[in-house]
Amino acid sequence: DQQVKQNSPSLSVQEGRISILNCDYTNSMFDYFLWYKKYPAEGPTFLISISSIKDKNEDGRFTVFLNKSAKHLSLHIVPSQPGDSAVYFCAASEAGGYQKVTFGIGTKLQVIP
Amino acid sequence: DSGVTQTPKHLITATGQRVTLRCSPRSGDLSVYWYQQSLDQGLQFLIQYYNGEERAKGNILERFSAQQFPDLHSELNLSSLELGDSALYFCASSSSGVADTQYFGPGTRLTVL
């Protein structure tokens, strides 16, 4: 039962353009959402997060949008750079303290120079 | 470098055997998480420890067990290994037990032949 779904296994974007990575979730108890980036042969690295009380969070070139009614979030990268080429994982956790984080299967982003 | 160390980096063993994976969290982090990433799968949460106590359990098989020691390092024990246990095993740590940022180690690649 995939509670966090990343339906696009891969995405190719030209350098300088916008990359949009999408994530859907089914568990209405999720209230904290995170994006992680993973390079080959390395562990995932935290990128950006958003609480359910917000609908947008921005950090430099990275912006996460949350649409609670649609149970959908997206990560925008503007402008995309070749160094952004990696696998991006969407993750979510429930409210109330010590809760596990549920990850999606990831989307592989390739930024073409 | 996330500050989380995992040993060994690679492990090749045979079916039916038992192995131990080790994780040292970032200095000061009290929480340790274990994840399994099989081929084309997302990160599957296995188990979380906080300051020596089990806090949350995911899809961890009965053949697998973990513990967190007083010095906060953690070990994941996998026994009666099967071919399907071949995967990347990640350890992550965080300062608290709540779903804040987790810092991942580089992973241990387990191959069961």
Side-chain angles (χ1 to χ4, degrees), chain A residues 22-94:
Chain A
N22 293 304
C23 177
D24 297 295
Y25 62 96
T26 58
N27 187 343
S28 57
M29 298 299 292
F30 285 149
D31 81 331
Y32 191 68
F33 304 89
L34 311 96
W35 284 94
Y36 282 82
K37 179 170 72 173
K38 185 183 180 302
Y39 293 118
E42 294 183 13
T45 303
F46 170 75
L47 196 55
I48 192 169
S49 64
I50 188 167
S51 165
S52 62
I53 61 173
K54 294 185 173 183
D55 55 19
K56 176 182 172 182
N57 190 26
E58 196 170 350
D59 184 2
R61 297 185 297 114
F62 302 91
T63 302
V64 56
F65 295 92
L66 175 62
N67 183 334
K68 289 186 290 294
S69 60
K71 293 193 177 67
H72 176 84
L73 63 156
S74 60
L75 173 69
H76 293 212
I77 307 174
V78 184
S80 300
Q81 299 173 354
D84 296 329
S85 298
V87 176
Y88 289 78
F89 291 99
C90 173
S93 70
E94 296 180 23

Side-chain angles (χ1 to χ4, degrees), chain B residues 30 49-54 67-70 72:
Chain B
L30 299 178
Y49 280 83
Y50 176 78
N51 203 19
E53 291 187 8
E54 182 184 305
Q67 58 185 90
Q68 186 179 27
F69 294 86
L72 301 178

Side-chain angles (χ1 to χ4, degrees), chain B residues 19-74:
Chain B
V19 296
T20 298
L21 312 184
R22 183 188 168 101
C23 169
S24 292
R26 286 190 327 154
S27 177
D29 282 358
L30 299 178
S31 245
V32 169
Y33 309 76
W34 286 98
Y35 293 88
Q36 178 193 57
Q37 185 183 23
S38 303
L39 192 65
D40 294 333
Q41 297 291 314
L43 290 155
Q44 299 293 318
F45 169 75
L46 295 177
I47 198 164
Q48 177 201 358
Y49 280 83
Y50 176 78
N51 203 19
E53 291 187 8
E54 182 184 305
R55 280 294 180 183
K57 217 167 186 175
N59 299 323
I60 187 166
L61 299 171
E62 283 191 15
R63 300 183 286 109
F64 296 2
S65 65
Q67 58 185 90
Q68 186 179 27
F69 294 86
D71 66 351
L72 301 178
H73 91 270
S74 178

